[in-house]
Amino acid sequence: MSIRLGRRQFLMGSSALAAAAAFGAGPAWAQGANLRLTFWGGQDRADRTYGVTDLYTSRNGGSVEGEFLAWNDYWPKLATQTAGGNAPDLIQMDYRFIVEYAKRNAIAPLDEFVGNVLKLDDFDEDQLEGGKVDGQLYGISLGANTVATLVNTAAFEEAGIEAPTNDWIYDDIMEKGEAFAAANIRGGMKMMNDSSGTEPMLDNWLRQKGLALYTAEGTLGFDADAMVEWFTMWNKFRDAGVIISPDEQAIDTGALETTPLVRGKSAMMPSNSNQLVGYQAIVPDRLDMVGYPRLAPGVGGGHYRKPSMFFSVAGSSADKEATAALLSFFVNDPDAGKILGVERGVPCSAAVRDVVSPTLDEQNQIALNFVANLGDLLGPLPPPPPAAAGEIDISLLRTLSQEVAFGARTPEDAGAYFVAEATAILERAS
């Protein structure tokens, strides 16, 4: 199931614009700027985003027309819009795709606006670095986050099994998963979803082994043997019945509502720390979060704090300065920060963090504390993924994981094929 909702035009903007024009107030970019915004996410994110754009237009005039889609629908739509020269002015961008979009000039460098309409005086330096490509700033982080495993605590209590902590290991998927399955709660809920096609979880697993998903030179950081081991491990979980079936996993299209956690098919699911808020909004049971499983007790370093997502300005935008001003409002205005909370991650402006922290509810506090207290799970920030990383994730890893799950390929075949095809994709894109 996909979600695609159009955004109403903001009527409030016209009256505010008229008032500003009448008094000759406001900078030139604020008058009559009619912008478009696109992002992926669920309803909770949309409500917060539109709350900020409402606030912005009430103060500055103009209008902001927004649109949001599920992750899997977002990128094909954005690629089509970009190819047609009709991309929205303000684009939510992912760390995985920023290099590709920057090198194609699909998003614009923002350096000329820094210190003018784009204020970044107290922004976290590591988050700014994450938005740079070849030394130029192409994305402004909307929050720091890290990968996390969401946990349905009520389901674990119902099954009579202690929920995992940050010390849990991959063997627990088998051992705890067998006990969980034996409890047979809620019509056969499993402890874990099938994460064999989840790129961040593969990345985390490789990093714990001292490998990398991608090298700084833009090549694969592992070989076919590692990929065979990955697929084989998930086959064992699948065969033992401790994770959900391939049929149930295939229903997950990326929209929150289709995930096994929301559908009540699994009690755990890999995600990102900032997504706890969105999931909690539609899951009646209390959710918590822990890290990804460790390879073995004491092994860490798989996690890293990364920009959860960026806002970038479209290369085709007719008013890049006005768009940069809207972007600056999102990341700097205290009232905007209160509306956004930590749904997109921990704010990168120190001043906004100070304002937001006391206002957070339980789920937001959980996310904030998790990101701030990773301990030995935390490793260094990897280099930005190469331009074709998105294609490898969506078109190759997810497809092969399903083919293995349904028995169409063996782990040995899929592992070798993945490395050969991914290498070819990277070479074509270089």
Side-chain angles (χ1 to χ4, degrees):
M1 180 174 68
S2 64
I3 297 176
R4 181 182 184 279
L5 297 177
R7 171 59 172 159
R8 71 184 188 277
Q9 295 289 334
F10 294 114
L11 300 178
M12 187 181 296
S14 59
S15 58
L17 174 60
F23 289 97
W29 49 260
Q31 299 182 20
N34 300 311
L35 305 174
R36 293 164 57 217
L37 159 69
T38 187
F39 56 98
W40 71 83
Q43 189 61 52
D44 181 68
R45 177 173 298 169
D47 292 342
R48 293 170 188 271
T49 302
Y50 295 149
V52 172
T53 54
D54 278 342
L55 182 63
Y56 182 78
T57 53
S58 72
R59 292 182 183 177
N60 299 289
S63 66
V64 181
E65 182 180 357
E67 179 184 64
F68 73 98
L69 299 96
W71 169 271
N72 287 356
D73 300 323
Y74 180 81
W75 296 104
K77 175 74 176 293
L78 181 59
T80 301
Q81 291 174 319
T82 299
N86 188 38
D89 300 280
L90 192 59
I91 298 170
Q92 189 169 288
M93 180 55 56
D94 186 74
Y95 194 58
R96 185 184 295 107
F97 291 96
I98 191 168
V99 173
E100 178 180 352
Y101 274 74
K103 288 185 177 295
R104 292 165 46 200
N105 298 318
I107 53 178
L110 302 171
D111 304 82
E112 64 178 297
F113 304 119
V114 176
N116 297 309
V117 297
L118 181 55
K119 308 295 185 185
L120 300 171
D121 297 338
D122 70 342
F123 224 70
D124 293 336
E125 189 59 34
D126 63 337
Q127 296 297 300
L128 286 178
E129 286 298 316
K132 291 182 179 178
V133 178
D134 295 336
Q136 288 187 290
L137 186 63
Y138 281 91
I140 303 300
S141 174
L142 300 178
N145 79 342
T146 185
V147 292
T149 308
L150 302 184
V151 182
N152 183 329
T153 59
F156 273 91
E157 291 174 4
E158 194 174 328
I161 298 169
E162 185 176 353
T165 68
N166 279 350
D167 291 328
W168 78 307
I169 61 176
Y170 271 94
D171 286 348
D172 288 332
I173 296 178
M174 183 66 79
E175 296 175 9
K176 282 182 177 286
E178 288 178 340
F180 195 100
N184 193 27
I185 66 168
R186 306 187 185 189
M189 173 188 271
K190 304 295 184 182
M191 188 183 84
M192 188 78 186
N193 76 324
D194 186 335
S195 304
S196 59
T198 304
E199 184 212 63
M201 198 156 189
L202 171 62
D203 179 33
N204 184 282
W205 182 80
L206 290 168
R207 284 165 59 85
Q208 292 189 59
K209 287 178 168 289
L211 302 172
L213 193 59
Y214 298 108
T215 67
E217 292 73 36
T219 61
L220 286 183
F222 59 98
D223 60 18
D225 290 343
M227 206 63 204
V228 171
E229 182 182 352
W230 173 257
F231 284 133
T232 300
M233 177 178 70
W234 287 100
N235 253 3
K236 290 179 179 176
F237 295 150
R238 204 174 291 117
D239 292 343
V242 300
I243 61 174
I244 67 172
S245 70
D247 291 326
E248 292 289 357
Q249 186 62 48
I251 296 174
D252 183 356
T253 63
L256 269 59
E257 292 81 358
T258 69
T259 59
L261 186 78
V262 175
R263 291 187 289 117
K265 300 300 181 183
S266 73
M268 302 183 75
M269 189 187 77
S271 184
N272 293 295
S273 57
N274 62 295
Q275 291 185 291
L276 175 67
V277 177
Y279 278 101
Q280 187 63 86
I282 55 177
V283 174
D285 297 324
R286 181 182 178 277
L287 300 179
D288 199 349
M289 65 170 62
V290 298
Y292 279 5
R294 301 172 187 261
L295 292 183
V299 177
H303 290 61
Y304 54 90
R305 274 192 282 263
K306 73 179 184 71
S308 63
M309 59 199 75
F310 305 98
F311 267 156
S312 295
V313 175
S316 60
S317 173
D319 200 340
K320 296 181 177 63
E321 185 177 27
T323 308
L326 172 61
L327 197 170
S328 187
F329 186 82
F330 263 95
V331 298
N332 286 304
D333 186 87
D335 293 325
K338 291 178 184 176
I339 294 172
L340 295 170
V342 297
E343 195 277 331
R344 282 185 169 95
V346 178
C348 304
S349 159
V352 174
R353 276 198 300 272
D354 290 342
V355 170
V356 170
S357 182
T359 70
L360 299 179
D361 59 17
E362 180 188 8
Q363 280 68 43
N364 281 303
Q365 289 285 358
I366 290 172
L368 182 65
N369 290 330
F370 179 77
V371 175
N373 298 287
L374 286 169
D376 69 342
L377 290 174
L378 186 64
L381 182 70
E391 179 183 353
I392 293 171
D393 173 28
I394 295 174
S395 301
L396 191 59
L397 176 60
R398 298 185 193 190
T399 299
L400 286 176
S401 69
Q402 287 196 347
E403 290 179 354
V404 173
F406 282 107
R409 287 183 186 269
T410 65
E412 290 75 17
D413 178 45
Y417 185 80
F418 179 92
V419 170
E421 286 299 304
T423 300
I425 291 171
L426 291 170
E427 290 176 351
R428 286 198 300 270
S430 63

